[in-house]
Amino acid sequence: MTTPDLDTLAALTRDYAAFQTRKSGLATALGGLMAVVLAVGSLSPLFMGARLGHRLFLEYLVWTPLLWLLLKGLLARALYRGAGAVKALPDGAYERRRWFWIFGLAMFLLSVGLSGLYAFARGLLQAGAARDACVPAPPLWLLAMPPVYLLAMPWAIRGIEEARVYAVLVGQSVLWLLPYFLFYFKAPAPPLRTGWGLFGDLLGVSILVLWYLIVVWGALAMVRGWKEHRDFRRLLGALP
Amino acid sequence: MPSPKPDLHAILDLDRTIHEPARLAILTVLAAAEEVEFLFLQRITGLSKGNLSSHTQKLETAGFLETLKAFRGRIPVTSFRITGEGRAALQAYHRQLRALLPKEGKP
């Protein structure tokens, strides 16, 4: 038997287990890339009005987190399970940090939902179909997708990096669905008279700040994911 | 001051189930994770299938690990988990061995 010393054996096992249960390597990089592509793509004037089939392209963005989850599963199976499955020891502090991200996404979705309700309640947005809306009516099931993603998060997402990627992708899909709903449920009165001006300005600035944060975070996630992947290759090479 | 008499009983008291290098390696790996699949255990210890099976059986008989059988699709998968007794025995073994080894700088 040729094996490294006992400390190395334990460290290799812990690192390998971390990859199986908490890290996602290339999936993190892929999530970062998807976030950057969506953010940069949104700058294109074609992005908002583009159609795919009979539907608006924006409608398909709600599937981005699900697509990433599927790719993450495939990548984990193809790249990170070759030497057998290992479950990591439970870590309370790590678990708390993961729940922090789940809670963060919940708060974001709640604030978007409440802002929408506020806008309808104040009459800033008009309920029902706008007669001269420039886009087809958005299917209402789209509104159910973000809560569904949130409910799936504790089971589908195991690591903190994964939680960040998922939270950003779900948040982004919600952000890019907003214009779709805003085009349809448009303001019935001139903005300044209804107070939409200040609300709209705040919303605009928030979205701009979020846009920059997403691009910077996405670039960092690509680097981190690639580094994790290289660490895993090194770890596999270190196994006896 | 006369040097203390070496306690031979302490050496003889070492747990022989754990003292065997392959079994020590297996328990060390299991202690670092919650559950470890046979394939990984084989890869990391460098043992043959037969050898690994025989050592894990001995450890299971001693109550130091439990074997978990499951199916992934149609493929049977065997995993192992260290028991509380096994973890305690491994820690006790480490303590005993450290106490027996000469202190740094002394022959």
Side-chain angles (χ1 to χ4, degrees):
Chain A
M1 188 177 81
T2 335
T3 52
D5 65 80
L6 295 177
D7 284 342
T8 314
L9 267 186
L12 282 173
T13 307
R14 271 193 298 272
D15 289 349
Y16 184 82
F19 259 95
Q20 300 243 312
T21 47
R22 289 168 195 152
K23 295 184 183 179
S24 45
L26 280 188
T28 303
L30 185 70
L33 181 69
M34 285 166 92
V36 170
V37 166
L38 281 181
V40 174
S42 68
L43 292 180
S44 161
L46 293 173
F47 186 78
M48 294 293 172
R51 283 167 193 263
L52 203 61
H54 294 295
R55 314 300 311 179
L56 216 60
F57 179 67
L58 287 171
E59 196 179 312
Y60 295 95
L61 294 184
V62 81
W63 299 110
T64 315
L66 183 67
L67 176 68
W68 179 77
L69 280 180
L70 291 174
L71 291 172
K72 177 177 85 82
L74 288 175
L75 282 171
R77 191 168 285 188
L79 295 173
Y80 304 126
R81 301 242 167 106
V86 178
K87 268 191 204 164
L89 288 168
D91 181 341
Y94 194 91
E95 234 351 66
R96 277 194 294 280
R97 283 170 63 202
R98 190 176 75 98
W99 277 99
F100 168 82
W101 280 94
I102 295 174
F103 182 71
L105 181 64
M107 287 298 104
F108 173 77
L109 294 180
L110 190 68
S111 58
V112 170
L114 287 179
S115 303
L117 285 177
Y118 170 79
F120 278 113
R122 291 288 306 273
L124 304 176
L125 297 173
Q126 192 178 42
R131 279 184 203 159
D132 53 347
C134 55
V135 292
L140 286 181
W141 60 262
L142 283 180
L143 294 173
M145 288 308 286
V148 167
Y149 283 139
L150 180 68
L151 289 175
M153 199 172 176
W155 293 275
I157 302 296
R158 296 169 304 171
I160 292 166
E161 283 297 336
E162 282 186 5
R164 284 187 192 130
V165 172
Y166 190 72
V168 168
L169 289 178
V170 173
Q172 228 178 344
S173 68
V174 170
L175 278 182
W176 303 139
L177 279 179
L178 274 181
Y180 188 5
F181 281 88
L182 288 178
F183 285 152
Y184 191 72
F185 298 106
K186 48 195 274 188
L192 285 176
R193 268 182 57 201
T194 56
W196 171 253
L198 179 66
F199 184 73
D201 284 349
L202 284 175
L203 193 69
V205 170
S206 312
I207 288 176
L208 192 66
V209 170
L210 264 178
W211 187 91
Y212 277 111
L213 287 176
I214 287 169
V215 171
V216 171
W217 171 86
L220 288 175
M222 280 192 265
V223 175
R224 268 200 305 269
W226 179 246
K227 192 176 164 296
E228 268 187 16
H229 177 69
R230 281 180 53 192
D231 287 347
F232 184 75
R233 303 305 306 173
R234 210 173 295 135
L235 173 66
L236 275 190
L239 288 181
Chain B
M1 200 173 94
S3 63
K5 225 174 161 185
D7 185 3
L8 283 176
H9 285 290
I11 300 171
L12 297 174
D13 280 350
L14 276 175
D15 190 329
R16 283 157 199 254
T17 314
I18 302 181
H19 191 57
E20 205 284 329
R23 290 197 285 269
L24 179 59
I26 290 169
L27 277 188
T28 303
V29 169
L30 292 183
E34 196 188 351
E35 205 177 298
V36 178
E37 198 180 304
F38 188 96
L39 186 64
F40 181 78
L41 205 50
Q42 193 193 350
R43 175 95 187 256
I44 199 163
T45 56
L47 293 166
S48 68
K49 270 186 188 175
N51 229 341
L52 181 58
S53 293
S54 133
H55 285 304
T56 50
Q57 265 169 25
K58 279 178 190 158
L59 287 167
E60 193 174 17
T61 309
F64 292 165
L65 64 79
E66 55 181 315
T67 307
L68 309 154
K69 304 259 184 194
F71 279 89
R72 191 175 295 142
R74 287 181 181 178
I75 304 163
V77 179
T78 306
S79 302
F80 303 101
R81 184 187 289 163
I82 192 167
T83 59
E85 200 184 329
R87 203 175 283 278
L90 184 66
Q91 282 166 355
Y93 174 82
H94 282 169
R95 273 196 305 274
Q96 274 180 303
L97 205 61
R98 248 183 247 121
L100 286 170
L101 290 172
K103 302 285 173 286
E104 229 168 275
K106 291 185 181 173

